[in-house]
């Protein structure tokens, strides 16, 4: 696997002017960030050797290099979800490539269902910790070139980046919450009993992404910042039918705030 990662990174290195320092996985609500990226070099996933190809509606598959807030970044427009049928290895392959390209930190965003009764639709939740209920992407033989066999997970999300997010949000009069993200395989949304269960075990929000990428980033020693848009509620008496379109619509509404936070955080790094 290391050879494949290296081959992909070498292909990209030959075609970009500067190496990125920050990786960004653009989930729901961050797509608009791309319009702020200057000096873009864009790769379609389908053109990148060894890259999986994105299929899910509302997620385009492009890897974009350029400058955001005058920092060198690489952004994934479209991510790979386990529920699409990709293996945990494929889901996290781009993170390994970004590591090989030299990123010093990873930003991730997603949409999720809120179990914390204090949350409403549109709440922005900075991820302080997660509970992994998906297959672990590090299962299988360990290659020490990526990281150790038994990676520490005591600091899954970087405290300095979390503090920076709150500082930037305060300055922009944006309210942020902080909470625990439960990662499930999907593709089903939760039953009422499942939302209740995820609340009881310590979750504030639940979604179908992010955790595999974060595990692989932490394995590689990359500090991570994660932020989630609450697009629907898994709170007793507030549970209503939810569709992919609801998630996309509510995610889009939060886009201005989300992009402001990420671009201002970058300018302070
Ligand atoms: N559950 C799981 N994933 C989600 C949800 C949810 O309620 N909302 C957005 N992604």
């Amino acid at each position: 696997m290391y050879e494949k990662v290296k081959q992909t990174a070498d292909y990209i290195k030959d075609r970009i002017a500067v190496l990125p320092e920050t990786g960004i996985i653009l989930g729901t609500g961050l797509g608009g960030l791309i319009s702020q990226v200057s000096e873009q070099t864009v790769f379609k996933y389908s053109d990148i050797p060894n890259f999986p190809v994105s299929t899910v509606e509302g997620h385009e598959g492009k890897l974009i290099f350029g400058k955001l807030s005058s920092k060198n970044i690489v952004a994934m427009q479209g991510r790979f979800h386990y529920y699409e049928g990709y293996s945990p290895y494929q889901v996290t392959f781009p993170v390994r490539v970004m590591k090989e390209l030299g990123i010093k930190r990873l930003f991730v965003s997603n949409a999720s269902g809120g179990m914390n009764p204090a949350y409403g639709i549109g709440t922005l939740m900075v991820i302080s910790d997660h509970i992994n209920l998906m297959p672990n992407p590090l299962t299988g033989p360990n290659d020490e070139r990526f990281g150790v066999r038994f990676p520490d997970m005591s600091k899954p999300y970087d405290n300095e980046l979390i503090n920076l997010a709150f500082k930037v949000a305060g300055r922009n009069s944006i309210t942020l919450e902080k909470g625990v993200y439960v990662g499930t395989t999907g593709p089903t949304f939760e039953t009422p009993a499942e939302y209740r269960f995820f609340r009881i075990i310590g979750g504030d929000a639940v979604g179908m992404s992010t955790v595999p990428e974060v595990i692989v980033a932490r394995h590689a020693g990359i500090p991570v910042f994660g932020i989630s848009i609450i697009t629907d509620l898994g709170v007793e008496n507030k549970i209503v039918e939810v569709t992919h379109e609801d998630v996309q619509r509510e995610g889009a509404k939060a886009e201005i705030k989300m992009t402001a936070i990420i671009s201002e955080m970058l300018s302070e790094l």
Side-chain angles (χ1 to χ4, degrees), residues 38-260:
S38 62
E39 300 173 37
Q40 290 191 13
T41 305
V42 181
F43 298 85
K44 281 192 281 181
Y45 289 166
S46 51
D47 291 339
I48 305 174
N50 308 320
F51 240 58
V53 176
S54 177
T55 61
V56 77
E57 218 183 299
H59 296 263
E60 280 180 65
K62 286 181 199 148
L63 194 63
I64 298 159
F65 292 80
K67 278 195 171 12
L68 182 60
S69 306
S70 71
K71 300 289 162 39
N72 295 313
I73 62 119
V74 51
M76 284 181 69
Q77 189 172 46
R79 59 146 61 91
F80 304 102
H81 299 89
Y82 181 71
Y83 62 73
E84 293 174 85
Y86 298 109
S87 67
Y89 157 75
Q90 288 176 306
V91 168
T92 55
F93 183 81
V95 176
R96 294 213 155 109
V97 172
M98 289 193 275
K99 163 72 181 175
E100 192 62 27
L101 292 172
I103 63 163
K104 306 281 184 290
R105 63 192 76 83
L106 178 68
F107 286 21
V108 291
S109 81
N110 61 51
S112 64
M115 283 93 63
N116 184 324
Y119 295 177
I121 290 174
T123 293
L124 296 185
M125 184 190 90
V126 171
I127 305 176
S128 58
D129 202 344
H130 70 227
I131 295 173
N132 180 29
L133 298 178
M134 301 195 215
N136 195 301
L138 302 180
T139 308
N142 186 61
D143 189 329
E144 293 279 333
R145 286 171 289 189
F146 292 125
V148 298
R149 170 73 286 189
F150 299 107
D152 173 68
M153 276 287 153
S154 64
K155 296 184 198 76
Y157 299 86
D158 187 76
N159 266 325
E160 280 178 34
L161 293 173
I162 291 173
N163 292 339
L164 179 58
F166 275 85
K167 182 175 135 191
V168 162
R171 197 157 76 192
N172 287 278
S173 306
I174 296 170
T175 305
L176 289 182
E177 301 289 344
K178 194 159 69 171
V180 175
Y181 177 89
V182 178
T184 68
T185 64
T188 43
F189 291 112
E190 283 62 37
T191 66
E194 286 166 345
Y195 281 127
R196 201 179 320 127
F197 169 63
F198 293 155
R199 180 66 186 152
I200 289 167
I201 64 171
D204 293 292
V206 55
M208 309 173 194
S209 67
T210 302
V211 171
E213 294 106 311
V214 172
I215 289 174
V216 165
R218 296 304 299 136
H219 184 227
I222 304 168
V224 174
F225 174 75
I227 185 162
S228 188
I229 305 166
I230 307 298
T231 55
D232 53 277
L233 298 175
V235 176
E236 212 150 11
N237 301 320
K238 292 191 189 165
I239 298 172
V240 293
E241 254 183 59
V242 54
T243 65
H244 181 61
E245 288 66 36
D246 297 331
V247 170
Q248 295 293 312
R249 186 188 61 246
E250 295 304 328
K253 283 193 207 162
E255 194 152 306
I256 290 174
K257 288 195 234 171
M258 289 275 277
T259 52

